[in-house]
Amino acid sequence: MSSSIPTLDAQALLAQVRALGEVGSGAPGDGRTRIALTDADRAGRDLLVQWMRELGLDVRVDRIGNIFGVLHAATHEGDRQPLMIGSHIDTVRNAGALDGCYGVLSGLAVARAWRAAGLAPSRAIVVAAFTNEEGVRFQPDMMGSLVYAGGMALQAALDVVGIDGVRLGDELARIAYAGELEPGAIAPLEYLELHIEQGPILEAEGQSIGVVENLQGISWQKITVHGTANHAGTTPLRLRHDAGYAAAAVVAFLREHVAAPSGGTTLATVGSLRFEPDVINVIARKATFTVDLRDPDEQRLQAAERRLGDFLVELAQREGVEIETERLARYEPVVFDAGLAAEIEAAAVRLGYASRRMTSGAGHDAQMMARIAPAAMIFVPSRAGISHNPREHTDDAQLVQGAQVLLEVVRRRLANVQGEGRLC
Amino acid sequence: MSSSIPTLDAQALLAQVRALGEVGSGAPGDGRTRIALTDADRAGRDLLVQWMRELGLDVRVDRIGNIFGVLHAATHEGDRQPLMIGSHIDTVRNAGALDGCYGVLSGLAVARAWRAAGLAPSRAIVVAAFTNEEGVRFQPDMMGSLVYAGGMALQAALDVVGIDGVRLGDELARIAYAGELEPGAIAPLEYLELHIEQGPILEAEGQSIGVVENLQGISWQKITVHGTANHAGTTPLRLRHDAGYAAAAVVAFLREHVAAPSGGTTLATVGSLRFEPDVINVIARKATFTVDLRDPDEQRLQAAERRLGDFLVELAQREGVEIETERLARYEPVVFDAGLAAEIEAAAVRLGYASRRMTSGAGHDAQMMARIAPAAMIFVPSRAGISHNPREHTDDAQLVQGAQVLLEVVRRRLANVQGEGRLC
C-alpha cells in the first residue's frame, strides 16, 4: 500500500525505540548499557542494520564503524546530494532508551515514510549511526563523527586504548564493524539531528520543540593537586599543604567567580572529585577533580579558562601545593546553519507545536558534522532534564512531534530539488 | 647480675620495638597491620604476654581485653598504689612500628630496670596495653581505656559490630583475650604514657622531649549533602542543586572562617570527601565528607561546631539541598596533671634533653585514664610529623631519650614512697 505523500508511521517509530531499548538492558530499573564496541553495542548495531535492510536501504559501514543506511534518490544527480540524518546508538552505563537512538530511528522513520509512499526521494536520504558518541570507554567522545568530519586521523582513532586496556581498532574488528568505506566518503549536502534536550528548559517553559541554533563550546580539564599528607590533629595551619582544601577552593571559585558573575552564559561544573588517602584524620595528600566549562561564546569560554588558570597559579603558591592540569576535551562553540534553523522553526509553526530557539548545552555529532555541511538540530523535552539515567523520559506524543518536525523539514528540503520519482 | 639503681637497657628496648614491628608486617615498604582483635593483633598480644612473663610480671587480662603486666611492690601497701604505664599495640593498616608499641615496650623497659637492679618497687608498676586504641575496625577508638575508665559500658563495647560485620565480644573470645578481670579493677594512683608526637613541632623546633600538659578536644562529624544530579551542560545555575559545590563550600568555610581566624587554636580538616555519581559532566547528586575539629579549649571547640552548624543551615537553604550530620566522635579537651608534667619537665632538664611544653593534637589512652587518675604524657619527635604510615620514624637515640625520661619520672614518683626492697 502506498500514498503519494511521505507520512510518519508513529507506531513503528515508537516500537523500534522500545525494541532497541531492550538490547543491553539490565535488572529492572537499571536501564540499558551498550557501551561503544562491546558485545551489547554489536547487538544494537545488528538490529539497526537488520531494520535498514528491511527498509531496502543500502547499508554501508566505514573504517571507524559508522553505519549508513542509504535510501537512494530517483536520479544519479540526487544521489550525489544526500541529506543525512544522524545520531548514535551507543550508550553510557545504565542509560535511558532515547539518547541518540531516538534520532537514528527517527531517520529510519523518515526513510520509511518515503518507502511507504512508494517514492524515491529527489535527493538521497542517508541515516547515520556514528561510532562512540558517548566516549565512556574510548576517548574522545563524538569520535565517529569527528573522524568522519576530518577532525581526527582515522589511524589515531583506531589506536586509541580504552579504559579496559583494549585497542579500539581491535574491538571494531572483533565485533565485525570495521567497514571499508573511507570516513567522509558520503559527503552530505545537509545534516539534521533530532535529539532529546537532556536539559530542563523546554519542559520548564512548556515548549514542545527546541530549534537549536548553536551549541556551547566545551572545555574539559582534569586537575590534580599534590599536597602533603599529615595528621589532622597535630599539624598547625601554617605547616599544612592540604590538597583537599585547595581542590575545594577551586570548586568554590568556579561557582562564585566564574559561573555566577557570567549572568548565565558560562557554566562550570566539578562533577568528579577524589581525595587520597581519603581518611577522616589525615590531611589529603592528593586531590583529583574534573572541570567542565561551557559557553556559547568562544571568547567568554577562553576568558573563563584564563580566570581558572590564574587562580590555580595563585592557589599553588599560597598553599604550597603543586597543581597539574590535563586537557581532556576542548570543542569550540558551533553556530548551526541559519537556513536550516529557520526551516525547523517554520515546520514547528506549521504543525502547531510551541517552539523556542535554544543553545545545545550538551555535545552532539551534529557539531562535528557542522564542519563539513550545513547542520542543525531539533530538540524535544526531557522530563526534569534527566538523561544518562534510566529515568530519562520524553512522552510518546512529544517523541512523535519531534519526528513530525524532522519529516516536515526533510520534505521541504527535498521539495526544492527536481527529480522525485515513483519507485519501481 | 644486679645493680642497685634501676637502669635502662636501651638495646633490649629497641630490640623489642623491632621484634614487635615484625608481627603483621607485609611486603617491603608496606609497614605492619595489626588491626584490633584480628589474628595479627593476637600474635602481637601473645608476644607481649610472653615478654611480660619472661620479666616475671603478673599478667592479668580484663573483660575488654586490656592486658596488664604487674610488677608487684615490696609491700602490700605499695601494691595498692600502682603506677601505671600504658599505651596500645593495635595498629592502623600499613602502620609504623612505634605508634603505641613504643609506649608499652618502654613500660616493660622500666619494669626490666627494676628487675635488673634486683629491686621490688616501693609501689607496683603496671604496664598496660589497651584494646583497640586505633578504632579502625571497631568504633569508637581508644575503646579499651574508655571502658576501663568507666566512660563506656562493658556490654555496649562487647556488642559493637565492626566494619566487617563481626561482634567485638565474639572476636575477643575467638582470639582468647576475653579476660576475667573487671575493667577498672586495678586502680592506678598515677598514669604515664610515652608516645611519638605524630606531629612536626618537636622536630621543627629541634626539641627532644615534649612535656604534654593537655590534649585537644576532638569533634568528628560525617556530613551528607543531598542535591540533584543533572547534566552539566544543560542545567542553568538557577536550577542547580549541586551537592558537590555545597560540600566544597563547607570545606572552604571551615578553613577560611573557622580555622584561620582562630589564631591557630582551632584545627579543622576535611580528610574524606566523595561525590556521587562522580562523573565529569554530571552535577553531583550526593556528597559525603567528614569534618575533624580540634581545640584545646572546650568553649572554643563548641563555638567552632556552632559556626559550622549555622553555615550548614544557611547553605542548605541557599542551594536547595538537604544536609544531614552524624556525630562520629566527641571528646572534650583534657588537662593533664600539673605535678606530673612538672616532674617530666624536671626529668628532661636533669638528663640534659631539650624539651618544650605542648598540647597533644592526637587522641591517646592517657586522655581516658585522666578521668580516673592523675595522668600525663611524654612525647618524642616524629620525623616530618608522619605517622599512621610505614614512613613513621623516630631516631633510636630519641627513642632512648624518651624512655630515659619515663624511667627517671617513675624513679622520682616511687622515691617519695617508703618500702622499696631488695627482691628475694
Side-chain angles (χ1 to χ4, degrees):
Chain A
M1 208 189 84
S2 67
S3 81
S4 61
I5 302 173
T7 307
L8 185 75
D9 182 342
Q11 290 316 309
L13 168 60
L14 295 172
Q16 286 196 338
V17 168
R18 281 186 210 105
L20 182 53
E22 288 300 310
V23 180
S25 65
D30 275 358
R32 66 285 303 150
T33 301
R34 295 195 310 271
I35 291 172
L37 312 188
T38 58
D39 287 347
D41 184 30
R42 167 164 54 184
R45 287 166 173 262
D46 288 351
L47 184 58
L48 176 66
V49 167
Q50 176 196 320
W51 287 339
M52 286 177 164
R53 295 224 161 95
E54 286 170 8
L55 278 175
L57 305 189
D58 182 9
V59 177
R60 314 284 300 273
V61 178
D62 74 9
R63 295 178 64 194
I64 191 67
N66 297 319
I67 300 171
F68 303 94
V70 182
L71 177 63
H72 287 291
T75 67
H76 180 67
E77 182 59 23
D79 247 11
R80 289 177 48 202
Q81 303 181 31
L83 186 151
M84 190 178 282
I85 303 166
S87 197
H88 63 96
I89 65 165
D90 69 312
T91 73
V92 296
R93 192 173 304 284
N94 300 330
L98 302 175
D99 183 348
C101 304
Y102 168 55
V104 173
L105 298 176
S106 293
L108 285 195
V110 169
R112 185 178 303 110
W114 256 267
R115 280 293 182 210
L119 295 172
S122 59
R123 289 162 47 197
I125 296 171
V126 179
V127 180
F130 293 105
T131 293
N132 186 33
E133 196 270 348
E134 295 289 5
V136 172
R137 186 183 181 198
F138 299 102
Q139 288 283 335
D141 55 352
M142 301 178 276
M143 187 191 278
S145 50
L146 179 64
V147 169
Y148 200 80
M152 180 179 192
L154 172 66
Q155 195 58 48
L158 294 174
D159 288 338
V160 165
V161 173
I163 52 174
D164 48 0
V166 301
R167 188 176 158 274
L168 186 143
D170 295 341
E171 282 294 272
L172 199 56
R174 187 185 67 80
I175 68 163
Y177 278 89
E180 305 203 330
L181 190 72
E182 281 304 316
I186 303 172
L189 199 69
E190 292 176 318
Y191 177 87
L192 290 168
E193 186 165 350
L194 172 61
H195 208 280
I196 55 168
E197 179 193 347
Q198 302 183 268
I201 296 172
L202 289 174
E203 183 189 60
E205 299 188 356
Q207 311 274 359
S208 300
I209 298 294
V211 179
V212 186
E213 53 186 359
N214 61 350
L215 188 143
Q216 293 181 120
I218 302 179
S219 164
W220 279 5
Q221 293 178 69
K222 179 177 160 185
I223 300 184
T224 308
V225 183
H226 300 275
T228 307
N230 259 315
H231 193 294
T234 59
T235 313
L237 192 50
R238 69 179 186 286
L239 295 179
R240 291 183 180 220
H241 308 287
D242 184 340
Y245 163 70
V250 176
V251 177
F253 176 83
L254 286 169
R255 166 67 167 276
E256 292 154 18
H257 299 281
V258 176
S262 79
T265 71
T266 305
L267 293 178
T269 307
V270 173
S272 175
L273 171 57
R274 291 171 192 197
F275 283 9
E276 287 179 26
D278 199 48
V279 170
I280 184 168
N281 61 346
V282 179
I283 296 163
R285 171 182 62 244
K286 185 168 153 186
T288 309
F289 60 101
T290 56
V291 175
D292 175 318
L293 289 173
R294 307 198 189 204
D295 198 298
D297 180 80
E298 176 62 20
Q299 296 310 311
R300 282 196 306 254
L301 186 56
Q302 287 182 14
E305 291 175 318
R306 269 196 310 276
R307 282 202 299 281
L308 170 59
D310 292 347
F311 181 68
L312 294 180
V313 169
E314 175 201 323
L315 182 71
Q317 179 149 19
R318 168 154 62 86
E319 297 298 321
V321 296
E322 240 184 81
I323 304 183
E324 269 178 89
T325 64
E326 181 190 348
R327 171 157 289 184
L328 296 179
R330 181 63 163 83
Y331 300 117
E332 289 194 13
V334 173
V335 177
F336 287 126
D337 184 71
L340 281 176
E343 193 84 83
I344 293 165
E345 190 165 48
V349 169
R350 275 196 305 279
L351 291 162
Y353 305 150
S355 70
R356 58 117 72 204
R357 297 218 163 210
M358 64 192 301
T359 294
S360 173
H364 294 290
D365 292 309
Q367 81 193 67
M368 301 308 169
M369 296 305 288
R371 298 177 177 210
I372 56 170
M377 295 189 72
I378 306 162
F379 276 175
V380 294
S382 291
R383 188 171 66 194
I386 294 168
S387 69
H388 286 185
N389 191 299
R391 290 184 298 128
E392 169 194 281
H393 176 83
T394 303
D395 291 341
D396 283 352
Q398 295 170 319
L399 293 174
V400 170
Q401 289 174 356
Q404 291 287 14
V405 170
L406 175 67
L407 175 61
E408 175 71 7
V409 170
V410 173
R411 281 207 301 239
R412 287 279 165 159
R413 301 309 282 183
L414 269 54
N416 14 8
V417 179
Q418 296 304 311
E420 184 169 285
R422 186 148 297 274
L423 274 177
C424 335
Chain B
M1 206 187 85
S2 68
S3 83
S4 62
I5 300 172
T7 306
L8 186 74
D9 182 341
Q11 290 316 309
L13 168 60
L14 296 172
Q16 287 196 336
V17 168
R18 283 188 208 103
L20 183 53
E22 288 300 309
V23 179
S25 66
D30 275 359
R32 67 283 304 149
T33 301
R34 295 196 309 272
I35 292 172
L37 312 187
T38 58
D39 288 346
D41 185 29
R42 167 164 54 183
R45 287 166 172 262
D46 288 351
L47 185 57
L48 175 67
V49 167
Q50 177 196 320
W51 287 337
M52 286 176 164
R53 295 224 162 97
E54 285 170 7
L55 278 175
L57 305 190
D58 180 10
V59 178
R60 314 284 300 273
V61 179
D62 74 8
R63 295 179 63 195
I64 192 65
N66 297 320
I67 301 170
F68 303 94
V70 182
L71 177 63
H72 286 293
T75 67
H76 179 66
E77 182 58 23
D79 245 11
R80 287 175 51 200
Q81 303 180 33
L83 187 150
M84 189 177 283
I85 302 166
S87 198
H88 62 96
I89 63 165
D90 68 313
T91 73
V92 296
R93 192 174 305 284
N94 301 329
L98 303 176
D99 182 348
C101 303
Y102 168 54
V104 174
L105 298 176
S106 294
L108 285 195
V110 168
R112 184 177 305 111
W114 256 266
R115 280 291 182 211
L119 296 172
S122 60
R123 289 163 48 198
I125 295 172
V126 179
V127 181
F130 293 106
T131 293
N132 186 33
E133 195 271 348
E134 295 290 4
V136 172
R137 186 183 182 197
F138 299 102
Q139 288 284 334
D141 55 351
M142 300 178 274
M143 188 192 277
S145 50
L146 180 64
V147 170
Y148 198 80
M152 181 178 191
L154 172 66
Q155 195 57 49
L158 294 174
D159 287 338
V160 166
V161 173
I163 52 174
D164 49 359
V166 302
R167 190 178 157 272
L168 186 142
D170 295 342
E171 283 294 271
L172 198 55
R174 186 185 68 79
I175 68 164
Y177 278 89
E180 304 202 332
L181 190 71
E182 281 304 316
I186 303 173
L189 199 68
E190 292 175 319
Y191 178 86
L192 290 169
E193 186 165 350
L194 171 60
H195 207 281
I196 55 168
E197 178 192 349
Q198 303 183 270
I201 295 171
L202 290 175
E203 182 188 61
E205 299 187 357
Q207 311 273 0
S208 300
I209 298 294
V211 179
V212 186
E213 53 185 357
N214 61 349
L215 188 143
Q216 295 180 117
I218 302 180
S219 163
W220 279 5
Q221 293 180 68
K222 178 177 162 186
I223 300 185
T224 307
V225 183
H226 299 275
T228 307
N230 260 314
H231 193 294
T234 58
T235 313
L237 192 50
R238 69 181 186 284
L239 295 179
R240 292 183 179 218
H241 307 288
D242 185 339
Y245 163 70
V250 177
V251 177
F253 176 83
L254 285 169
R255 166 67 167 273
E256 293 155 16
H257 299 282
V258 176
S262 79
T265 70
T266 306
L267 293 178
T269 307
V270 174
S272 174
L273 172 56
R274 293 172 190 196
F275 283 10
E276 286 180 28
D278 197 48
V279 170
I280 183 168
N281 61 346
V282 179
I283 295 162
R285 171 182 64 244
K286 184 169 154 186
T288 309
F289 60 101
T290 55
V291 175
D292 175 318
L293 290 172
R294 307 198 190 202
D295 200 297
D297 180 81
E298 175 63 20
Q299 295 311 310
R300 282 197 306 255
L301 186 57
Q302 287 183 15
E305 291 176 318
R306 268 196 311 275
R307 282 202 299 281
L308 171 60
D310 291 348
F311 182 69
L312 294 179
V313 169
E314 175 202 323
L315 182 71
Q317 179 149 18
R318 169 155 62 87
E319 297 297 320
V321 296
E322 244 185 78
I323 303 182
E324 270 178 89
T325 64
E326 182 191 345
R327 170 157 289 186
L328 297 178
R330 180 64 163 83
Y331 299 116
E332 289 194 13
V334 173
V335 177
F336 286 127
D337 183 71
L340 281 177
E343 193 83 83
I344 293 165
E345 192 166 46
V349 168
R350 276 196 304 279
L351 290 162
Y353 306 149
S355 71
R356 58 116 75 203
R357 297 218 163 212
M358 63 193 302
T359 295
S360 172
H364 294 290
D365 292 309
Q367 81 193 71
M368 300 309 169
M369 295 306 288
R371 297 176 178 210
I372 57 169
M377 295 189 73
I378 305 161
F379 276 177
V380 294
S382 291
R383 189 171 65 194
I386 293 168
S387 67
H388 286 186
N389 190 301
R391 291 184 297 128
E392 169 192 283
H393 177 82
T394 303
D395 291 341
D396 283 353
Q398 295 171 320
L399 292 175
V400 170
Q401 289 175 358
Q404 292 287 16
V405 170
L406 176 67
L407 176 61
E408 174 70 7
V409 170
V410 173
R411 281 208 302 237
R412 287 280 165 159
R413 300 309 281 183
L414 269 55
N416 16 6
V417 180
Q418 297 303 313
E420 184 169 285
R422 185 149 298 274
L423 273 179
C424 334

